[in-house]
Amino acid sequence: MAKKGKPKISKIKRNNHTTNKMKKQGKLKLQRHRTKVQKQKQPVKETPEYSSDSESSSNEWADMLDEEEQQYIVNRLAKQPNLLSNIPEKEDNKRGSKRKKDKERLPKVKKPRTENSMDDNIGSSDDSDSEVEVKYEKDLAQRPVKKMRSLLPIKTKDGLVERTEECDDSDTESAEEDQAGVDDEVEKAAVESGSEHDSDEETMEKSEDNEEKEITTVELLAARRDRLRHEKLRIGALCSSLLESPEKKLKNLYPILYLMDEHLKDGTANLVSVRKLASLSAAEVFRDILPEYKLRHQDYSDVKLKKDTLSLYKYEKELLEFYKRYLQRLEKAASVLRPKKGDKRKPDDPRVSLGLLSIKCMCTLLVARPNFNYATNIAQSVIPFLDTTPEARNTVTEACTDVFKEDSKGEITLAIVRLINQLAKRRGSRLNPAALDCLLQLKIQDVELDEEHDLKMKKKTEEKKKKRIVNLSKKEKKRAKKLKEVERELLETEAKESESARRKQLTEVTKTVFHIYFRLLKSSPTTGLLIAALNGIAKFTHVINLEYYSDLVSILSGLVRSSADRSTRLVVVGTVLAVLAKAGDALNVDPAVFHTHLYQDMLAVHAGCSRSETATVVECASAVCQRLRRVSCGVLRALAKRLLTMSSHGQHHAALASLALVWTIMQHNKHVSALFEAECAGSGRFDPLSPSPEHCGSHAALGYEGPILTSHYHPVVRAAATALLQRGGWPQELHGLTPMQIFDQYDCSQLCFKPAIPPPKPRDLTKPKTSQTWARPDFKTYCETVEDNLNMDIDNFIER
């Protein structure tokens, strides 16, 4: 049998097989199909050439035509000179090669230009004065210039090639209409892309000198209103489209950031209101699209990534870049509030308001995203404004307070505290005391700095565990290792910070805070800074090492003796008493000196004093009540008597706090209740002006202020005074409240009276008015007797 040959296939199919095979092997380089660009022929104005040949030919057909036909052809040629250009010549086709050779052989001779010639293209001098040429020149001069229309450019290997085309008048009109429509579309697109920005107000302000019309204030205000309305709509459209799809429309931030600049591209000044709108809008957008974690990127240039991963990487990179530019603009606008050294120029009000708004935007982003990138940079830009104007300081203080309350990791808290430490070190005694108020909101209540003993115990337990692990088998060791890895992964997925790391952060924060306070005490600053440092020490005294307690108390006792200001002296006494209350029995310090200063200064605190002094007295008395068992009975009785005196000439919230302290002292010491019993009073005389509570004769004192307070204008004060006198139940609304909480809740400094005053009852006008009545009938009879016996004759009295 004959062998079966290969089936015959066409060349096209075989070529397709080979190309497919080369594609699979990767040997075929695919080329993109390039569209063939047809070059559009430019219309060339050809002028008729006249030669001796044409003369002979014209003579031949001129003999064959009449005069009218010749005149008609001449007129047509004048209007359309290219009419006979497409007619082929047989002689040229037959003898084209010979003519070319003849032209190559013959030398070209330039003819001199004569004055009678009308054009350089005219070859023969015999026909220069002919009527056809004259008419042609006239018609050519009278013809309107043809308009050119621009076409779309063509992309070639050499680059973009611009194209044009001749068009009629009707085409030019339609093209102009189309161009106007395109311009409108470009202007609409500029609203989204931000490429074009026209400022009406600035153009009106920069009017040319040749303009005779004057611009009024009304026109300027109207232009400004239109400009603001336009920019509001533009910014709103950009932000809304960006929030719909941030990954695709992230470049909408370009025009928003452009509107935050001081000057526009054309050099005109931007409106401050527009800059404010752009800053606030960008801040809200970033609050919505920024994640709560920090973005960390590596160099993936040499790594092949998936399409989605690559797009996400590019999006995050662009987001960080836009965020950085935005923060730079905010920092530049806020720098007006902190002029450089030697710059005594006062900024205008619009720039100051823009600077305050920029600080507010940065603080908002710091509170909203404290763990995102550039959070430390924001804090570094914002913290110096704690020592500037009150508006900026209040904004930064509120932001720091919110960060301290909500921070779970402690990194940003430590960064802020270190920046405040640098500010206090740099400014020294020139620092505003209000700059340290935000430190009082730190959450360092559970920090313990005395952990050396605990560390030693932990080392011992770890050594015991090591001995057990050494004796484990290989399988048990592998199992324990895998369990540790799984636990570590679980902690990472749940985003929980370890307790040890958290404690380390808080320990560093506490060290830095006390470094600030102790430096202020050592450098003997002004009164304001001293009070701020003492308030901080009093609040965080429970985390101070016991080694520093004795030195601290000795320093504070010296400050009490040297201070002449009553408010400062009360703050120092409150700090010492708070230290002694927290230290417990660890310190062997006699607080008699501090009790004496407290007892002496309490008499000068009344309703006309400031709220801070009254609050300091309440805090000091509360600190004494925390260590009632270590205070003598005479001092407690003298303190209770002074609290009753202060409640009688103080405001109602201070009176309530004082009565609450007296109630607490009475519950722990029965001798204090003898103040309300005249029979239990001791012998001797009580001296209220004595400076010492131990030698004032407090055993002979009586609390006569209690019955007076039962007729107080405040209902809760009346109820508390009645409970003290009758030793009954404490008012229900005061149960579970500390004296300071009572002092704050019933404070009416915010024009809020607690409890609310009931409105007066409506008067019934239908009822008749009741006549006056006498409370005492005997007094009524006496008045009537006097009236009857009195001579009421006024006329006789006047004559006399």
Side-chain angles (χ1 to χ4, degrees):
M1 294 179 67
K3 293 182 180 179
K4 292 182 179 180
K6 294 182 179 179
K8 293 182 179 180
I9 57 176
S10 62
K11 291 183 179 180
I12 298 173
K13 197 169 184 180
R14 185 172 292 153
N15 290 335
N16 290 338
H17 284 314
T18 53
T19 52
N20 291 333
K21 188 175 180 181
M22 292 175 72
K23 277 183 184 179
K24 291 179 180 179
Q25 293 176 358
K27 298 180 180 179
L28 181 65
K29 293 184 180 179
L30 296 175
Q31 295 182 355
R32 294 180 180 177
H33 296 285
R34 297 179 181 176
T35 55
K36 294 183 179 180
V37 180
Q38 294 181 357
K39 294 184 179 179
Q40 190 167 355
K41 295 181 179 179
Q42 299 291 341
V44 181
K45 295 181 181 180
E46 297 180 357
T47 55
E49 296 181 357
Y50 299 95
S51 61
S52 59
D53 298 337
S54 63
E55 289 175 4
S56 61
S57 61
S58 63
N59 293 329
E60 290 177 1
W61 63 264
D63 297 336
M64 299 172 64
L65 298 177
D66 298 335
E67 293 181 358
E68 295 180 358
E69 293 176 350
Q70 292 179 7
Q71 188 66 26
Y72 173 75
I73 292 173
V74 168
N75 293 334
R76 287 292 304 274
L77 288 172
K79 292 181 180 180
Q80 296 180 354
N82 299 328
L83 182 64
L84 303 176
S85 60
N86 295 328
I87 298 175
E89 296 181 0
K90 295 180 181 179
E91 295 178 358
D92 294 333
N93 293 334
K94 291 179 181 178
R95 297 179 296 177
S97 59
K98 291 184 179 180
R99 286 186 178 181
K100 286 182 181 179
K101 292 179 180 178
D102 296 338
K103 286 181 181 180
E104 291 176 358
R105 291 174 184 174
L106 294 175
K108 294 181 180 179
V109 180
K110 292 184 179 180
K111 295 182 180 181
R113 181 169 178 170
T114 60
E115 296 179 357
N116 297 329
S117 63
M118 300 295 295
D119 198 334
D120 295 336
N121 296 328
I122 299 174
S124 62
S125 61
D126 298 335
D127 300 333
S128 61
D129 297 332
S130 63
E131 295 180 357
V132 177
E133 294 175 1
V134 173
K135 288 183 179 181
Y136 172 73
E137 294 293 338
K138 288 182 179 180
D139 293 340
L140 190 64
Q142 292 177 359
R143 285 181 63 187
V145 180
K146 291 188 177 182
K147 296 183 179 180
M148 306 297 292
R149 182 175 62 185
S150 60
L151 299 177
L152 292 175
I154 299 174
K155 187 175 182 181
T156 62
K157 292 182 180 180
D158 300 332
L160 292 175
V161 178
E162 299 291 339
R163 297 189 301 159
T164 56
E165 183 184 15
E166 290 186 1
C167 60
D168 298 335
D169 294 339
S170 60
D171 296 338
T172 55
E173 292 177 359
S174 61
E176 289 176 357
E177 293 177 358
D178 296 339
Q179 186 66 24
V182 171
D183 293 339
D184 295 336
E185 293 178 357
V186 169
E187 291 179 5
K188 292 180 181 178
V191 173
E192 297 181 356
S193 63
S195 61
E196 296 180 359
H197 187 77
D198 299 331
S199 55
D200 298 331
E201 183 181 357
E202 285 76 13
T203 54
M204 293 183 70
E205 289 178 354
K206 291 187 176 182
S207 58
E208 297 179 357
D209 297 336
N210 56 2
E211 282 187 349
E212 297 180 356
K213 184 180 178 181
E214 294 182 357
I215 301 172
T216 62
T217 307
V218 178
E219 293 176 350
L220 284 175
L221 292 175
R224 183 180 183 277
R225 181 197 60 192
D226 297 338
R227 167 82 181 282
L228 286 176
R229 188 181 301 168
H230 170 71
E231 297 301 342
K232 282 181 182 179
L233 294 174
R234 181 183 178 188
I235 293 171
L238 289 169
C239 294
S240 60
S241 62
L242 173 59
L243 292 176
E244 287 177 1
S245 56
E247 294 83 3
K248 297 179 181 178
K249 299 292 184 67
L250 191 62
K251 291 187 178 180
N252 285 3
L253 289 170
Y254 272 120
I256 297 176
L257 296 180
Y258 167 67
L259 292 176
M260 290 177 62
D261 293 336
E262 186 176 0
H263 294 282
L264 302 177
K265 291 181 179 179
D266 54 358
T268 57
N270 194 4
L271 289 177
V272 178
S273 301
V274 175
R275 297 175 68 184
K276 289 182 179 180
L277 288 173
S279 302
L280 284 174
S281 303
E284 294 298 326
V285 168
F286 279 120
R287 281 184 65 185
D288 291 336
I289 65 176
L290 290 180
E292 295 183 358
Y293 53 87
K294 186 176 290 187
L295 298 178
R296 293 189 178 93
H297 287 293
Q298 298 178 0
D299 188 10
Y300 295 110
S301 58
D302 298 335
V303 182
K304 290 185 178 180
L305 300 175
K306 293 183 179 179
K307 187 176 181 180
D308 297 337
T309 307
L310 185 61
S311 61
L312 179 61
Y313 170 72
K314 289 182 179 179
Y315 166 71
E316 291 177 349
K317 191 175 181 181
E318 291 179 357
L319 180 62
L320 284 177
E321 184 65 25
F322 280 119
Y323 190 51
K324 181 181 177 182
R325 293 181 183 180
Y326 175 65
L327 293 178
Q328 288 174 350
R329 283 169 169 78
L330 289 180
E331 186 178 2
K332 184 179 179 181
S335 62
V336 179
L337 300 176
R338 293 181 64 244
K340 295 181 179 179
K341 189 175 181 181
D343 189 4
K344 297 182 179 179
R345 295 176 298 175
K346 291 184 178 180
D348 51 354
D349 294 338
R351 290 179 179 273
V352 172
S353 62
L354 179 62
L356 292 173
L357 183 68
S358 302
I359 294 172
K360 187 176 181 180
C361 292
M362 285 192 286
C363 292
T364 303
L365 292 173
L366 180 63
V367 174
R369 299 292 181 268
N371 299 320
F372 189 68
N373 301 65
Y374 305 118
T376 308
N377 302 86
I378 296 175
Q380 192 173 0
S381 302
V382 163
I383 292 301
F385 292 100
L386 288 172
D387 197 31
T388 54
T389 59
E391 295 84 0
R393 181 170 58 250
N394 294 334
T395 303
V396 178
T397 302
E398 291 177 1
C400 294
T401 302
D402 295 338
V403 170
F404 293 158
K405 288 181 179 179
E406 298 178 1
D407 187 20
S408 58
K409 294 183 178 181
E411 295 179 0
I412 189 65
T413 301
L414 180 59
I416 292 174
V417 172
R418 284 176 175 172
L419 290 171
I420 294 174
N421 182 22
Q422 294 175 5
L423 179 65
K425 190 175 181 180
R426 184 172 62 252
R427 296 290 295 172
S429 59
R430 297 172 297 170
L431 182 67
N432 196 319
L436 304 178
D437 291 344
C438 59
L439 296 177
L440 298 176
Q441 305 299 327
L442 286 169
K443 297 193 301 182
I444 53 178
Q445 302 293 332
D446 301 330
V447 179
E448 295 178 1
L449 299 180
D450 299 324
E451 294 182 350
E452 295 181 359
H453 181 69
D454 297 338
L455 290 174
K456 290 180 181 179
M457 296 299 295
K458 286 181 180 180
K459 285 181 180 179
K460 290 181 180 179
T461 54
E462 287 177 358
E463 287 177 358
K464 292 180 180 179
K465 288 182 180 179
K466 283 182 180 179
K467 292 179 181 179
R468 294 176 184 173
I469 292 171
V470 169
N471 298 328
L472 291 176
S473 61
K474 291 184 179 180
K475 291 183 179 180
E476 291 176 347
K477 288 181 181 179
K478 289 182 179 180
R479 186 180 179 185
K481 188 176 180 180
K482 289 182 180 180
L483 285 173
K484 285 183 180 179
E485 291 178 356
V486 172
E487 289 177 358
R488 191 182 300 112
E489 291 177 358
L490 287 173
L491 286 174
E492 290 178 358
T493 54
E494 294 177 2
K496 288 184 178 180
E497 292 292 326
S498 62
E499 191 66 23
S500 60
R502 168 94 178 139
R503 283 186 174 273
K504 285 182 181 179
Q505 295 282 355
L506 289 178
T507 302
E508 291 295 327
V509 170
T510 308
K511 288 181 180 179
T512 309
V513 169
F514 280 104
H515 187 63
I516 297 171
Y517 291 149
F518 290 156
R519 189 195 306 115
L520 294 176
L521 287 177
K522 186 178 179 181
S523 59
S524 61
T526 58
T527 305
L529 283 174
L530 178 62
I531 291 175
L534 291 174
N535 288 332
I537 292 172
K539 183 167 185 179
F540 304 122
T541 185
H542 61 283
V543 296
I544 302 177
N545 289 330
L546 293 175
E547 301 174 359
Y548 304 111
Y549 271 114
S550 58
D551 297 334
L552 181 61
V553 170
S554 62
I555 293 172
L556 294 178
S557 61
L559 287 174
V560 167
R561 294 188 183 93
S562 62
S563 179
D565 186 23
R566 185 178 66 249
S567 59
T568 306
R569 192 163 54 245
L570 285 172
V571 172
V572 175
V573 170
T575 304
V576 174
L577 293 176
V579 169
L580 295 175
K582 298 293 177 59
D585 298 330
L587 290 177
N588 295 323
V589 178
D590 186 11
V593 179
F594 307 105
H595 291 166
T596 302
H597 285 286
L598 174 62
Y599 180 77
Q600 187 177 359
D601 293 334
M602 282 175 67
L603 192 62
V605 178
H606 49 80
C609 295
S610 61
R611 183 183 181 277
S612 59
E613 289 187 8
T614 310
T616 305
V617 169
V618 174
E619 289 178 352
C620 294
S622 302
V624 174
C625 292
Q626 291 180 9
R627 45 195 312 272
L628 289 172
R629 295 180 181 180
R630 291 181 290 274
V631 181
S632 62
C633 181
V635 174
L636 289 177
R637 189 161 177 168
L639 182 63
K641 173 62 179 176
R642 189 53 55 91
L643 287 171
L644 289 172
T645 305
M646 191 178 71
S647 63
S648 62
H649 58 257
Q651 297 185 10
H652 61 269
H653 61 284
L656 278 175
S658 302
L659 293 177
L661 288 169
V662 175
W663 174 265
T664 304
I665 296 172
M666 287 176 59
Q667 296 298 318
H668 289 82
N669 196 326
K670 295 180 180 180
H671 297 283
V672 179
S673 59
L675 287 170
F676 304 106
E677 297 176 2
E679 299 175 355
C680 298
S683 60
R685 185 177 64 87
F686 171 67
D687 186 9
L689 299 178
S690 177
S692 177
E694 296 179 354
H695 303 92
C696 65
S698 60
H699 58 279
L702 291 176
Y704 61 87
E705 295 87 358
I708 297 175
L709 292 173
T710 54
S711 58
H712 199 270
Y713 67 88
H714 200 280
V716 184
V717 175
R718 293 197 299 267
T722 305
L724 285 176
L725 291 175
Q726 298 178 0
R727 299 179 187 177
W730 192 241
Q732 187 67 29
E733 55 267 23
L734 300 179
H735 267 296
L737 296 177
T738 62
M740 281 307 300
Q741 290 176 351
I742 294 172
F743 183 85
D744 293 334
Q745 289 186 12
Y746 287 89
D747 187 10
C748 62
S749 59
Q750 302 297 328
L751 303 179
C752 181
F753 192 84
K754 184 179 179 180
I757 301 173
K761 295 181 180 180
R763 184 180 176 184
D764 191 1
L765 301 177
T766 59
K767 292 183 179 181
K769 295 182 179 179
T770 58
S771 59
Q772 296 180 355
T773 58
W774 293 84
R776 294 175 60 184
D778 54 347
F779 184 68
K780 179 183 179 182
T781 56
Y782 175 76
C783 292
E784 289 176 353
T785 303
V786 171
E787 185 180 357
D788 294 339
N789 296 331
L790 184 64
N791 188 8
M792 302 298 292
D793 191 358
I794 301 175
D795 296 335
N796 295 333
F797 181 76
I798 294 172
E799 290 176 359
R800 292 177 185 177

